[in-house]
Amino acid sequence: MIEGMLSRPRRNRKSAAMRGLVQENHLGSQDLMYPLFVMDGSGKKEEIPSMPGIHRFSIDLMLKEMESCMNLGLKAFILFPAVEDSLKDKVASYSYDKGNFYLKALRKAKENFPEVVIATDVAMDPYSSDGHDGVVENGEILNDKSLPILARMTLAQAETGVDIIGPSDMMDGRVSYIREELDDQGFESVSIMSYTAKYASAFYGPFRDALESAPKFGDKKTYQMNPANKREAILEAEMDESEGADILMVKPAMAYMDVIHSLREESNLPIAAYNVSGEYAMVKAAAEKGWIEEKKVVPEILLGFKRAGADIILTYFAKQMAEYWQK
Ligand code: PBG
């Protein structure tokens, strides 16, 4: 006996069953949302070089992919469009064009799988010849001129029957602007998952490869947040909450666990963490070299998001995790 040592935390770790009883956080397929990249055409599937295992799909193959994910237990998807350069312009008019393949993909996804949650992305960058999330004039990204375009895009997406609209543009006031527009048009049951604390991050590189959506000049620092700031994330969260957001998102996730935690403490809304493309690519690259054990590292990272306070995790690892769980 060691004098005075009455507490021994190791007692609660003595067996797998004991550890199971005292486990504080759990991860399951119901927590995950799987991002899918969609492109026009049919029978097309292209791997994204900087994101091994992740593809751009034409609509027919996207539906097949969704089905195979659903068979593994996944129930939520967020779709992103890879738009041809020739369809891009300064005001992202293709985003609400009736012939837009992305809108068709959203509609087909809901028609084929009404029971799953489908989320969208609202921002101008995939459709903008400037590669920015808002309207560009004289090298400036204009806030208030972007709002009506974002609202038009939102309505076009809502009409397809989707569950969640995901504004990722970081324009001020866009949550209330699109909430009012949705409600005016009778879409009061369509949810808004706001990219509340979206940082100007270098971790989005592979995603921009996937969509060929990198800014044509400058960076996104006048609208996306400074990675050095946390109080500002709380301010954004308070605004989004008062503007009618249903879910608040932090993005990226791995280098921003403290922000996830702070928003969890500050708000009673569900918190989503977006485990972004660069975070995925880092793990894949290290695993490919045999430097880390992917099968163990991935759940450790995702559980970290839960521990920090995330309810929903958007991750490119979703399908792979669902496969691990099936085995
Ligand atoms: C578009 C958007 C981006 C991401 C999601 N929506 C890129 C950006 O803002 O430049 C990044 C997602 C990822 O890296 O996985 N506004």
Side-chain angles (χ1 to χ4, degrees):
M1 184 188 105
I2 292 180
E3 194 70 39
M5 194 160 83
L6 301 176
S7 298
R8 287 179 179 268
R10 287 187 57 188
R11 282 196 285 264
N12 284 344
R13 299 177 201 139
K14 68 180 144 212
S15 67
M18 196 71 196
R19 291 190 292 276
L21 284 175
V22 301
Q23 179 161 335
E24 298 173 38
N25 291 285
H26 299 268
L27 191 64
S29 51
Q30 74 281 353
D31 305 317
L32 305 181
M33 189 180 265
Y34 192 36
L36 293 174
F37 299 119
V38 199
M39 63 183 166
D40 206 358
S42 70
K44 287 204 279 184
K45 174 177 173 179
E46 299 168 0
E47 189 165 30
I48 294 141
S50 48
M51 301 179 76
I54 300 295
H55 303 81
R56 281 185 287 253
F57 296 102
S58 55
I59 300 176
D60 52 339
L61 297 189
M62 174 202 81
L63 294 170
K64 284 224 168 81
E65 177 68 5
M66 284 179 66
E67 193 170 8
S68 85
C69 291
M70 286 166 64
N71 290 335
L72 294 165
L74 296 179
K75 296 179 181 71
F77 301 89
I78 181 162
L79 274 43
F80 294 95
V83 179
E84 248 179 68
D85 261 347
S86 64
L87 295 169
K88 300 182 184 181
D89 62 22
K90 286 201 69 80
V91 291
S93 53
Y94 187 68
S95 67
Y96 47 80
D97 187 308
K98 290 278 177 238
N100 177 330
F101 73 87
Y102 178 63
L103 299 173
K104 187 168 155 205
L106 297 172
R107 184 170 289 113
K108 288 256 178 216
K110 268 322 274 191
E111 271 171 19
N112 283 268
F113 312 113
E115 69 277 30
V116 303
V117 170
I118 302 290
T120 73
D121 186 62
V122 166
M124 287 174 60
D125 57 334
Y127 317 96
S128 153
S129 46
D130 292 308
H132 277 285
D133 296 18
V135 176
V136 179
E137 269 176 31
N138 304 320
E140 244 189 83
I141 290 78
L142 301 181
N143 196 86
D144 299 9
K145 274 202 182 170
S146 303
L147 298 180
I149 298 171
L150 297 169
R152 221 167 147 180
M153 189 183 310
T154 296
L155 288 181
Q157 294 176 0
E159 275 165 12
T160 68
V162 292
D163 303 277
I164 301 178
I165 298 290
S168 70
D169 54 281
M170 288 304 277
M171 296 300 121
D172 292 335
R174 92 276 206 207
V175 173
S176 55
Y177 197 96
I178 66 177
R179 182 72 268 162
E180 280 170 17
E181 204 76 24
L182 283 168
D183 292 353
D184 276 354
Q185 301 299 318
F187 295 115
E188 60 283 333
S189 61
V190 173
S191 312
I192 296 178
M193 174 169 70
S194 176
Y195 286 60
T196 294
K198 178 172 179 179
Y199 288 88
S201 170
F203 285 103
Y204 308 148
F207 177 98
R208 293 177 189 169
D209 293 345
L211 300 192
E212 290 167 4
S213 63
K216 297 288 188 300
F217 71 90
D219 52 41
K220 298 192 174 187
K221 289 180 185 167
T222 66
Y223 46 107
Q224 298 181 348
M225 286 177 55
N226 180 344
N229 295 354
K230 180 157 81 171
R231 290 197 312 267
E232 198 180 337
I234 297 168
L235 186 71
E236 288 279 3
E238 287 167 353
M239 286 178 65
D240 285 359
E241 186 161 347
S242 72
E243 291 180 35
D246 301 284
I247 299 167
L248 305 178
M249 188 203 290
V250 175
K251 177 184 173 193
M254 280 169 73
Y256 299 85
M257 293 266 197
D258 58 321
V259 180
I260 297 170
H261 182 247
S262 286
L263 292 206
R264 168 73 297 138
E265 305 267 286
E266 295 289 331
S267 174
N268 289 316
L269 287 176
I271 306 296
Y274 197 147
N275 180 210
V276 300
S277 57
E279 299 174 327
Y280 176 84
M282 284 195 306
V283 172
K284 285 287 174 192
E288 226 167 69
K289 283 190 171 285
W291 290 349
I292 58 168
E293 204 182 327
E294 187 172 359
K295 212 174 164 171
K296 291 186 177 160
V297 160
V298 174
E300 185 173 335
I301 293 169
L302 302 186
L303 208 44
F305 303 143
K306 295 285 287 193
R307 195 186 62 245
D311 302 286
I312 303 167
I313 302 168
L314 290 84
T315 181
Y316 303 98
F317 290 114
K319 187 178 184 191
Q320 184 175 329
M321 278 305 305
E323 279 164 351
Y324 293 161
W325 285 321
Q326 291 264 310
K327 279 173 196 151

